[in-house]
């Protein structure tokens, strides 16, 4: 895609969804951080189901530390890899209390140093909590970036760097939400629903599925 096509791609998605947001449910920045950590290799719907009761009880890092690892496991045992995630959430909560006065730092490098927080998680928190122009490349964005031609790369970091270069204003803050939702509901992994895609004419993907019920080309 060229610059004009990328602008039009996001313009159309923005017209359909002017205020895109994460589908994770949370009440404050700390709960957002916890939810994103828990969402690794899990669905947002599954995380939301597990955290609704948890977040009614726990709103701060200090409260999470008080709940303890075993107490947290009881809340999140339906989530994949819950043992390791519980350990990380308790550990990062202890650090937030000890170093940051219980607040989530507005700094990607500081976030990445927390247990269980990688670059993607830090980018999500920076974007959703602080409005930073970060690009959290998950499997959906990686697929959409490569398929459409907006941002081609062999690794998530390579796609992220391309997005940083190529996504124009005024779409930079919302772009990763639009791409995630597009990948989740239209540009699906096995059979993209190109027949109802609002940006199909801009997309570089060769194996477009232009009729409902048709199979993706081999």
């Amino acid at each position: 895609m060229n610059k004009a096509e990328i602008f039009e791609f996001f313009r159309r998605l923005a017209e359909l969804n002017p205020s895109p947001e994460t589908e994770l449910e949370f009440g404050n920045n700390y709960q957002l951080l916890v939810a994103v950590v828990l969402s690794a290799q899990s669905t947002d719907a599954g995380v939301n189901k597990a955290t609704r009761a948890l977040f009614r009880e726990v709103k701060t890092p200090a409260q999470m530390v008080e709940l303890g690892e075993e107490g947290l496991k009881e809340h999140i045992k339906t989530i994949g890899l819950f043992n390791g995630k519980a350990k990380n959430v308790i550990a990062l909560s202890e650090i937030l209390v000890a170093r940051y006065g219980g607040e989530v730092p507005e700094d990607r490098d500081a976030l990445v140093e927390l247990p269980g927080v990688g670059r993607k998680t830090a980018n999500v928190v920076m974007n959703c909590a602080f409005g930073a122009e970060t690009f959290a490349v998950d499997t959906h964005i990686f697929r959409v970036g490569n398929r459409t031609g907006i941002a081609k790369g062999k690794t998530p970091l390579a796609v992220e760097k391309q997005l940083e270069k190529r996504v124009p204003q005024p779409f930079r803050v919302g772009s990763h939400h639009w791409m995630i939702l597009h990948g989740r509901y239209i540009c699906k992994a096995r059979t993209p629903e190109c027949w109802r895609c609002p940006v199909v004419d801009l997309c570089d993907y060769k194996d477009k599925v232009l009729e409902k019920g048709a199979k993706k080309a081999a």
Side-chain angles (χ1 to χ4, degrees):
M1 280 196 200
N2 60 37
K3 289 182 179 180
E5 289 169 334
I6 292 173
F7 187 95
E8 179 62 13
F9 177 94
F10 286 112
R11 188 201 66 77
R12 291 183 196 176
L13 296 184
E15 186 175 47
L16 293 169
N17 183 6
S19 302
E21 297 178 344
T22 177
E23 293 187 316
L24 290 170
E25 298 172 2
F26 61 95
N28 58 38
N29 290 350
Y30 171 68
Q31 290 182 341
L32 168 65
L33 173 61
V34 172
V36 180
V37 169
L38 295 179
S39 72
Q41 300 181 51
S42 301
T43 65
D44 287 1
V47 172
N48 291 337
K49 185 176 180 180
T51 57
R52 284 179 190 131
L54 172 65
F55 288 166
R56 285 195 293 269
E57 180 180 348
V58 175
K59 296 177 172 59
T60 68
Q63 290 173 338
M64 186 69 78
V65 173
E66 184 177 351
L67 177 65
E69 190 172 328
E70 293 305 315
L72 176 55
K73 285 180 183 179
E74 283 301 307
H75 281 281
I76 67 169
K77 59 188 177 183
T78 58
I79 300 175
L81 307 174
F82 73 93
N83 285 310
K85 290 176 180 179
K87 182 177 181 179
N88 284 333
V89 168
I90 296 300
L92 72 83
S93 299
E94 290 172 340
I95 292 172
L96 291 179
V97 171
R99 297 184 190 172
Y100 300 105
E103 299 294 325
V104 176
E106 188 177 347
D107 181 274
R108 183 166 60 186
D109 292 337
L111 288 168
V112 170
E113 291 180 354
L114 297 173
V117 179
R119 186 179 180 90
K120 183 185 75 174
T121 296
N123 280 338
V124 172
V125 172
M126 290 298 296
N127 181 274
C128 296
F130 306 114
E133 295 177 359
T134 54
F135 303 88
V137 179
D138 68 352
T139 56
H140 297 301
I141 291 183
F142 186 80
R143 180 173 66 255
V144 171
N146 277 287
R147 271 185 182 171
T148 62
I150 287 176
K152 290 182 176 290
K154 294 183 178 180
T155 66
L157 182 59
V159 170
E160 179 185 338
K161 294 298 185 185
Q162 284 295 305
L163 290 171
E164 286 179 349
K165 289 180 181 179
R166 307 194 77 198
V167 176
Q169 295 291 7
F171 309 115
R172 292 178 67 82
V173 172
S175 61
H176 99 268
H177 293 299
W178 285 309
M179 292 180 74
I180 286 172
L181 295 171
H182 190 66
R184 184 172 290 162
Y185 296 112
I186 295 179
C187 195
K188 299 176 181 179
R190 291 191 176 181
T191 304
E193 298 180 3
C194 308
W195 68 86
R196 65 183 190 93
C197 175
V199 290
V200 64
D201 57 307
L202 302 171
C203 175
D204 286 348
Y205 190 48
K206 294 180 181 179
D207 298 329
K208 291 174 182 171
V209 182
L210 297 175
E211 293 184 14
K212 187 175 182 179
K215 297 294 184 181
K216 186 179 74 171

